[in-house]
Amino acid sequence: KAGVTQTPRYLIKTRGQQVTLSCSPISGHRSVSWYQQTPGQGLQFLFEYFSETQRNKGNFPGRFSGRQFSNSRSEMNVSTLELGDSALYLCASRLGSGANVLTFGAGSRLTVL
Amino acid sequence: KQEVTQIPAALSVPEGENLVLNCSFTDSAIYNLQWFRQDPGKGLTSLLLIQSSQREQTSGRLNASLDKSSGRSTLYIAASQPGDSATYLCAVLQTGANNLFFGTGTRLTVIP
Protein backbone atom coordinates (compact mmCIF):
# COMPACT_ATOMS: atom_id res chain seq x y z
CA LYS A 1 0.00 0.00 0.00
CA ALA A 2 1.10 3.58 -0.57
CA GLY A 3 3.20 5.25 2.09
CA VAL A 4 3.04 8.78 3.44
CA THR A 5 3.18 11.29 0.57
CA GLN A 6 4.44 14.82 1.01
CA THR A 7 4.28 17.58 -1.56
CA PRO A 8 6.13 19.53 -2.74
CA ARG A 9 9.45 17.81 -2.13
CA TYR A 10 11.51 20.95 -2.61
CA LEU A 11 10.66 24.62 -2.62
CA ILE A 12 12.37 27.98 -2.39
CA LYS A 13 10.73 31.04 -0.89
CA THR A 14 11.86 34.49 0.13
CA ARG A 15 11.57 36.14 3.53
CA GLY A 16 8.10 37.41 4.30
CA GLN A 17 6.30 34.99 2.00
CA GLN A 18 4.08 32.20 3.19
CA VAL A 19 4.14 28.51 2.32
CA THR A 20 1.74 25.57 2.46
CA LEU A 21 2.93 21.98 2.64
CA SER A 22 0.75 18.94 2.10
CA CYS A 23 0.76 15.46 3.58
CA SER A 24 -1.32 12.45 2.57
CA PRO A 25 -1.20 9.72 5.23
CA ILE A 26 -1.30 5.99 4.74
CA SER A 27 -4.82 4.86 3.92
CA GLY A 28 -6.74 4.24 7.14
CA HIS A 29 -4.40 6.30 9.30
CA ARG A 30 -6.24 9.04 11.13
CA SER A 31 -3.34 10.70 12.94
CA VAL A 32 -0.92 13.03 11.19
CA SER A 33 2.06 14.67 12.89
CA TRP A 34 4.47 17.29 11.62
CA TYR A 35 8.12 17.68 12.57
CA GLN A 36 10.79 20.22 11.63
CA GLN A 37 14.38 19.07 11.14
CA THR A 38 17.28 21.54 11.12
CA PRO A 39 21.02 20.96 11.54
CA GLY A 40 21.08 23.04 14.70
CA GLN A 41 17.94 21.90 16.51
CA GLY A 42 17.49 18.40 15.15
CA LEU A 43 13.98 17.02 14.91
CA GLN A 44 11.32 19.00 16.73
CA PHE A 45 7.62 18.33 17.03
CA LEU A 46 5.28 20.89 15.48
CA PHE A 47 1.77 19.52 15.93
CA GLU A 48 -0.45 16.47 15.59
CA TYR A 49 -3.93 16.17 14.13
CA PHE A 50 -6.42 13.40 14.73
CA SER A 51 -9.86 13.31 13.13
CA GLU A 52 -9.53 16.94 12.00
CA THR A 53 -8.67 18.19 15.51
CA GLN A 54 -5.30 19.42 16.70
CA ARG A 55 -4.43 17.09 19.53
CA ASN A 56 -1.00 18.30 20.51
CA LYS A 57 1.24 21.25 19.70
CA GLY A 58 4.96 21.86 20.04
CA ASN A 59 6.74 25.01 21.04
CA PHE A 60 6.61 26.99 17.80
CA PRO A 61 5.33 30.51 17.13
CA GLY A 62 1.84 31.16 15.83
CA ARG A 63 3.22 31.63 12.32
CA PHE A 64 3.17 27.83 12.10
CA SER A 65 -0.30 26.41 11.69
CA GLY A 66 -1.94 23.34 10.31
CA ARG A 67 -5.19 21.63 9.58
CA GLN A 68 -6.55 18.22 8.72
CA PHE A 69 -9.31 17.40 6.30
CA SER A 70 -12.04 14.78 6.57
CA ASN A 71 -10.00 12.39 4.38
CA SER A 72 -7.13 12.70 6.91
CA ARG A 73 -4.91 14.65 4.53
CA SER A 74 -3.12 17.44 6.34
CA GLU A 75 -1.58 20.76 5.42
CA MET A 76 0.77 22.95 7.35
CA ASN A 77 1.26 26.63 6.71
CA VAL A 78 4.08 28.95 7.64
CA SER A 79 3.41 32.67 7.29
CA THR A 80 5.88 35.55 7.19
CA LEU A 81 8.79 33.26 6.47
CA GLU A 82 12.14 33.84 8.18
CA LEU A 83 15.56 32.58 7.19
CA GLY A 84 15.51 30.25 10.20
CA ASP A 85 12.47 28.45 8.83
CA SER A 86 14.70 26.76 6.26
CA ALA A 87 14.39 23.10 7.16
CA LEU A 88 13.21 19.65 6.20
CA TYR A 89 9.56 19.33 7.21
CA LEU A 90 8.54 15.76 7.90
CA CYS A 91 5.06 14.38 8.17
CA ALA A 92 4.21 11.11 9.90
CA SER A 93 1.01 9.12 10.14
CA ARG A 94 -0.28 6.37 12.40
CA LEU A 95 -3.52 4.55 13.02
CA GLY A 96 -4.56 6.23 16.22
CA SER A 97 -2.70 7.11 19.34
CA GLY A 98 -0.56 5.62 22.03
CA ALA A 99 1.87 2.94 21.01
CA ASN A 100 1.23 2.81 17.30
CA VAL A 101 4.23 2.99 14.99
CA LEU A 102 4.72 6.28 13.15
CA THR A 103 5.46 6.08 9.44
CA PHE A 104 7.27 9.07 7.99
CA GLY A 105 7.13 10.63 4.56
CA ALA A 106 10.18 11.70 2.55
CA GLY A 107 9.80 15.31 3.67
CA SER A 108 9.50 18.74 2.10
CA ARG A 109 12.72 20.71 1.99
CA LEU A 110 12.08 24.42 2.36
CA THR A 111 14.75 26.99 1.62
CA VAL A 112 14.09 30.60 2.61
CA LEU A 113 16.26 33.22 0.89
CA LYS B 1 11.01 17.99 29.76
CA GLN B 2 12.19 14.79 28.09
CA GLU B 3 15.72 14.98 26.72
CA VAL B 4 17.19 12.32 24.47
CA THR B 5 20.93 12.03 23.90
CA GLN B 6 22.83 9.85 21.46
CA ILE B 7 26.48 8.95 21.71
CA PRO B 8 28.64 8.99 19.68
CA ALA B 9 27.62 11.73 17.26
CA ALA B 10 29.59 10.06 14.49
CA LEU B 11 31.19 6.66 14.03
CA SER B 12 33.34 5.11 11.29
CA VAL B 13 33.93 1.37 11.20
CA PRO B 14 35.39 -1.07 8.67
CA GLU B 15 32.98 -3.39 6.91
CA GLY B 16 32.16 -6.54 8.84
CA GLU B 17 32.51 -5.08 12.30
CA ASN B 18 29.82 -5.34 14.95
CA LEU B 19 28.85 -2.03 16.52
CA VAL B 20 26.68 -0.50 19.21
CA LEU B 21 24.87 2.83 19.15
CA ASN B 22 23.71 4.37 22.39
CA CYS B 23 20.64 6.35 23.34
CA SER B 24 19.73 7.78 26.73
CA PHE B 25 16.62 9.58 27.92
CA THR B 26 15.85 11.53 31.07
CA ASP B 27 12.21 10.61 31.79
CA SER B 28 11.45 6.90 32.08
CA ALA B 29 7.68 7.37 31.75
CA ILE B 30 7.52 6.26 28.11
CA TYR B 31 5.14 4.25 25.94
CA ASN B 32 7.86 3.03 23.62
CA LEU B 33 11.19 3.75 22.00
CA GLN B 34 11.85 3.67 18.26
CA TRP B 35 15.04 3.48 16.27
CA PHE B 36 15.03 5.15 12.86
CA ARG B 37 17.42 5.34 9.97
CA GLN B 38 17.78 8.46 7.84
CA ASP B 39 19.67 8.59 4.57
CA PRO B 40 20.98 12.00 3.43
CA GLY B 41 18.15 14.31 2.38
CA LYS B 42 15.54 11.64 2.94
CA GLY B 43 12.78 10.89 5.43
CA LEU B 44 12.92 8.47 8.34
CA THR B 45 12.69 4.71 8.07
CA SER B 46 11.55 2.89 11.20
CA LEU B 47 13.91 0.06 12.13
CA LEU B 48 12.69 -1.25 15.45
CA LEU B 49 10.10 -0.31 18.03
CA ILE B 50 10.33 -1.48 21.65
CA GLN B 51 7.29 -1.17 23.88
CA SER B 52 7.95 -0.02 27.44
CA SER B 53 7.19 -3.51 28.76
CA GLN B 54 9.73 -5.17 26.46
CA ARG B 55 13.48 -5.58 26.92
CA GLU B 56 14.56 -6.03 23.33
CA GLN B 57 13.54 -6.40 19.70
CA THR B 58 15.38 -8.02 16.82
CA SER B 59 15.15 -7.63 13.08
CA GLY B 60 17.73 -9.34 10.93
CA ARG B 61 21.18 -8.02 11.85
CA LEU B 62 19.69 -5.40 14.17
CA ASN B 63 18.98 -5.82 17.86
CA ALA B 64 17.65 -3.06 20.09
CA SER B 65 17.51 -3.23 23.86
CA LEU B 66 15.68 -1.07 26.36
CA ASP B 67 16.41 -0.50 30.03
CA LYS B 68 13.66 1.86 31.05
CA SER B 69 14.72 2.20 34.66
CA SER B 70 18.14 3.51 33.71
CA GLY B 71 16.86 5.49 30.72
CA ARG B 72 18.99 3.70 28.15
CA SER B 73 18.65 1.91 24.85
CA THR B 74 21.24 0.38 22.55
CA LEU B 75 21.09 -0.55 18.89
CA TYR B 76 23.42 -3.40 17.98
CA ILE B 77 24.32 -3.87 14.32
CA ALA B 78 26.00 -7.13 13.45
CA ALA B 79 28.40 -7.64 10.54
CA SER B 80 28.11 -4.06 9.30
CA GLN B 81 27.89 -3.35 5.57
CA PRO B 82 28.52 -0.19 3.51
CA GLY B 83 24.77 0.00 2.91
CA ASP B 84 24.30 0.54 6.66
CA SER B 85 25.90 3.98 6.30
CA ALA B 86 23.28 6.49 7.42
CA THR B 87 22.22 8.56 10.42
CA TYR B 88 20.53 6.56 13.15
CA LEU B 89 18.01 8.30 15.39
CA CYS B 90 16.29 7.12 18.51
CA ALA B 91 13.00 8.59 19.67
CA VAL B 92 10.80 8.08 22.70
CA LEU B 93 7.04 8.40 22.91
CA GLN B 94 6.39 9.78 26.34
CA THR B 95 3.42 8.69 28.44
CA GLY B 96 0.64 11.24 28.23
CA ALA B 97 2.07 12.84 25.11
CA ASN B 98 1.37 12.14 21.47
CA ASN B 99 4.68 13.23 20.02
CA LEU B 100 8.13 11.72 19.73
CA PHE B 101 11.18 13.20 21.39
CA PHE B 102 14.18 12.61 19.16
CA GLY B 103 17.86 12.28 19.88
CA THR B 104 20.40 14.17 17.80
CA GLY B 105 21.47 11.08 15.93
CA THR B 106 24.61 9.06 15.26
CA ARG B 107 26.08 9.34 11.77
CA LEU B 108 27.47 5.93 10.84
CA THR B 109 29.96 5.35 8.04
CA VAL B 110 30.88 1.78 7.14
CA ILE B 111 34.11 1.69 5.14
CA PRO B 112 34.38 -1.03 2.45
Side-chain angles (χ1 to χ4, degrees):
Chain A
K1 62 185 179 184
V4 179
T5 304
Q6 293 189 243
T7 57
R9 289 292 316 279
Y10 303 91
L11 65 166
I12 300 173
K13 294 283 187 179
T14 56
R15 278 183 300 174
Q17 287 187 309
Q18 67 93 27
V19 66
T20 299
L21 308 177
S22 178
C23 173
S24 294
I26 289 173
S27 178
H29 285 194
R30 296 167 63 191
S31 164
V32 174
S33 302
W34 289 89
Y35 290 81
Q36 181 197 63
Q37 186 176 31
T38 59
Q41 299 297 318
L43 270 152
Q44 293 185 287
F45 172 72
L46 281 156
F47 28 65
E48 182 191 18
Y49 286 86
F50 181 82
S51 293
E52 303 179 65
T53 301
Q54 187 181 87
R55 188 160 63 174
N56 198 11
K57 190 177 190 305
N59 189 25
F60 278 82
R63 299 184 298 107
F64 291 81
S65 63
R67 59 179 175 169
Q68 187 179 33
F69 301 95
S70 58
N71 62 357
S72 293
R73 189 177 72 85
S74 176
E75 289 181 347
M76 67 162 282
N77 184 76
V78 188
S79 62
T80 320
L81 284 166
E82 301 177 359
L83 295 178
D85 297 332
S86 294
L88 180 65
Y89 289 88
L90 292 165
C91 164
S93 76
R94 59 180 166 173
L95 271 173
S97 61
N100 296 132
V101 174
L102 272 80
T103 302
F104 281 80
S108 292
R109 181 165 296 282
L110 170 65
T111 301
V112 182
L113 302 176
Chain B
K1 180 193 168 190
Q2 178 75 266
E3 292 186 7
V4 183
T5 306
Q6 290 186 248
I7 295 173
L11 180 65
S12 282
V13 300
E15 181 177 0
E17 251 193 34
N18 303 324
L19 59 102
V20 174
L21 307 180
N22 297 292
C23 172
S24 61
F25 48 95
T26 55
D27 189 337
S28 62
I30 63 171
Y31 276 129
N32 59 46
L33 183 145
Q34 259 181 286
W35 282 94
F36 293 90
R37 168 189 172 133
Q38 186 175 34
D39 292 287
K42 302 290 179 63
L44 306 179
T45 300
S46 181
L47 298 172
L48 289 164
L49 179 144
I50 310 177
Q51 304 291 358
S52 62
S53 59
Q54 297 175 319
R55 296 285 297 191
E56 64 180 290
Q57 280 287 340
T58 299
S59 176
R61 295 183 293 109
L62 304 180
N63 175 277
S65 68
L66 174 64
D67 183 343
K68 205 172 69 161
S69 61
S70 68
R72 293 176 188 233
S73 176
T74 61
L75 179 66
Y76 175 82
I77 302 177
S80 58
Q81 302 170 357
D84 295 331
S85 298
T87 296
Y88 290 81
L89 294 148
C90 71
V92 297
L93 181 63
Q94 192 162 343
T95 305
N98 287 306
N99 58 286
L100 293 173
F101 290 87
F102 280 88
T104 48
T106 294
R107 185 163 56 194
L108 172 66
T109 302
V110 181
I111 304 164

